[in-house]
Amino acid sequence: MNKKPSLSLGFLEGLIGFRLRLAQIALFDDFERAMRPFDITPTRFGALSLIDANPGLSQMQLAKAIRLDRSTLVALLDHLEKRSLVQRRPSATDKRTNELRLTPEGRLLLGKLKRRVQEHEKRMFGKLPADERAQLARLLEAVSAMKTKQVIEI
Amino acid sequence: MNKKPSLSLGFLEGLIGFRLRLAQIALFDDFERAMRPFDITPTRFGALSLIDANPGLSQMQLAKAIRLDRSTLVALLDHLEKRSLVQRRPSATDKRTNELRLTPEGRLLLGKLKRRVQEHEKRMFGKLPADERAQLARLLEAVSAMKTKQVIEI
DNA sequence: CGGCATTAGTTTGAGGTCAAACAATTTAAC
DNA sequence: GTTAAATTGTTTGACCTCAAACTAATGCCG
């Protein structure tokens, strides 16, 4: 009748990277569920937010900011443009680039999404005391800032 | 000469979820680089570790433990089996399931990988004082433990 | 026992992601 | 100023992931 032998994590037990991956999956799961009615993923939300905060930015700038390959961004923007949330406008000064802007519909939707995302963050982190939330944010930022100096060969 | 206007993060600025995603990307990047000579991804490493720690487990058990869809696991195990690192052995007691085990080569490789992963963790978290690393692990675990109680409709 | 729901592994299809190759444009070098 | 190098957006191909449908086997329930 023992239904949960519950596997051993073995070596994974002590790895912060593994813990972070699990947290990421839980987070994505809740986000996805909350945004399902709008068909918005974390990546799409990030793109909308950054375009909103930096109107006129280029696809390369956006791609770097959300850590997405520029080729991946093409389909994502196609999608958002098809939904009339975003507009690609050829730059007058550099004909290689597009200037990205939210449409009025895009701004309207983003407003709703922001409220949902706040609720999502509250669900996922609201149980933690404020100082621990701040600590978590600080530590995560420190990890992101770590750059690989040098890679060991074979 | 200002080469870095450096976009505003806007609404993303205050989101722990966004910070966590950036940390995850940085982590994955360093991991991937360190393991490139062995063609091992975090997911593959996780699978090898769990099989090592729980010899004879089934594909479903493994899939749940590493949060992977069972259909995804099929190709992953095909790959590891083709490399003679893992063995699928049909269970005698339940003919639906396979018992998973590492081969001697698998155990040998995993040993090397563990050392690399330790170096990787040291690179990414080593700069943090030990108590902060522990705190980070604890907080991440708390986030993973958050289960969506209920989802708001439209 | 006998039939039906459940479970395990697999296959297939849709979508997200990166890397490499390409054309158009801009920048740098001479 | 002309030519070579770098940059931007795009397309294509490979891979990973999930979800749904399928098959074989087990468990349940009368």
Side-chain angles (χ1 to χ4, degrees):
Chain A
M1 260 324 189
N2 49 351
K3 33 181 60 167
K4 289 174 146 198
S6 210
L7 303 188
S8 155
L9 288 184
F11 185 74
L12 266 31
E13 183 76 38
L15 297 184
I16 301 185
F18 179 69
R19 290 274 147 78
L20 201 141
R21 186 166 171 270
L22 293 186
Q24 162 86 336
I25 290 172
L27 226 45
F28 186 96
D29 198 60
D30 186 86
F31 191 103
E32 196 278 336
R33 240 193 295 257
M35 304 302 163
R36 188 170 300 166
F38 302 104
D39 194 19
I40 289 290
T41 61
T43 307
R44 285 177 187 166
F45 178 77
L48 290 174
S49 297
L50 280 165
I51 296 173
D52 182 53
N54 307 276
L57 85 171
S58 72
Q59 298 186 196
M60 273 302 296
Q61 289 178 302
L62 176 55
K64 279 179 192 151
I66 55 179
R67 260 73 156 189
L68 216 60
D69 195 274
R70 61 202 167 138
S71 61
T72 306
L73 196 53
V74 173
L76 189 153
L77 289 175
D78 287 348
H79 174 90
L80 296 180
E81 212 173 18
K82 197 155 303 177
R83 286 171 68 179
S84 301
L85 301 173
V86 163
Q87 187 191 16
R88 273 190 263 223
R89 190 183 304 177
S91 163
T93 69
D94 184 342
K95 286 183 214 149
R96 294 171 302 178
T97 69
N98 294 325
E99 297 180 355
L100 304 174
R101 294 177 199 290
L102 292 192
T103 64
E105 299 98 303
R107 267 186 292 278
L108 191 66
L109 177 62
L110 183 58
K112 286 187 215 167
L113 295 179
K114 281 179 179 172
R115 287 191 286 279
R116 288 242 163 178
V117 171
Q118 287 294 18
E119 291 165 10
H120 155 73
E121 286 257 323
K122 182 144 191 163
R123 267 198 304 281
M124 301 305 288
F125 307 107
K127 290 257 173 56
L128 299 177
D131 61 321
E132 295 197 350
R133 276 203 303 276
Q135 172 97 347
L136 178 55
R138 188 180 69 72
L139 292 171
L140 290 174
E141 199 159 9
V143 171
S144 301
M146 285 299 155
K147 289 279 134 195
T148 303
K149 321 294 188 191
Q150 155 182 10
V151 184
I152 312 87
E153 289 308 321
I154 287 274
Chain B
M1 260 323 190
N2 49 351
K3 31 181 60 169
K4 290 175 145 199
S6 210
L7 303 188
S8 155
L9 287 185
F11 184 74
L12 266 32
E13 183 75 39
L15 297 184
I16 301 184
F18 179 68
R19 290 271 148 77
L20 200 140
R21 185 166 172 272
L22 293 186
Q24 162 87 336
I25 290 172
L27 226 45
F28 186 95
D29 198 60
D30 186 86
F31 191 103
E32 197 279 335
R33 240 193 294 256
M35 303 303 162
R36 189 170 300 165
F38 302 104
D39 192 20
I40 289 290
T41 60
T43 306
R44 285 176 188 168
F45 178 77
L48 290 174
S49 296
L50 280 166
I51 296 173
D52 183 53
N54 307 276
L57 86 172
S58 73
Q59 297 185 198
M60 274 300 298
Q61 289 179 303
L62 176 55
K64 278 179 194 154
I66 54 180
R67 261 72 158 189
L68 216 59
D69 194 275
R70 59 198 171 143
S71 60
T72 307
L73 196 54
V74 173
L76 189 153
L77 289 175
D78 286 349
H79 174 91
L80 296 179
E81 212 172 18
K82 198 155 301 175
R83 287 171 69 178
S84 299
L85 300 173
V86 164
Q87 185 191 17
R88 272 191 264 222
R89 188 183 307 176
S91 163
T93 69
D94 184 343
K95 285 183 214 150
R96 294 171 303 179
T97 69
N98 293 326
E99 297 181 355
L100 303 175
R101 294 178 198 290
L102 292 191
T103 64
E105 298 99 303
R107 268 187 291 277
L108 191 67
L109 177 62
L110 183 57
K112 286 187 215 165
L113 295 179
K114 281 179 180 173
R115 288 192 285 279
R116 288 242 164 179
V117 171
Q118 287 293 19
E119 291 166 9
H120 154 73
E121 286 256 325
K122 181 144 193 166
R123 268 197 306 279
M124 301 306 288
F125 307 109
K127 290 258 173 55
L128 299 176
D131 59 322
E132 296 197 348
R133 276 203 303 277
Q135 172 98 349
L136 178 56
R138 188 179 68 74
L139 292 171
L140 290 174
E141 199 159 7
V143 172
S144 300
M146 285 297 155
K147 288 278 135 196
T148 302
K149 321 293 190 191
Q150 151 185 14
V151 184
I152 311 89
E153 288 308 320
I154 288 277

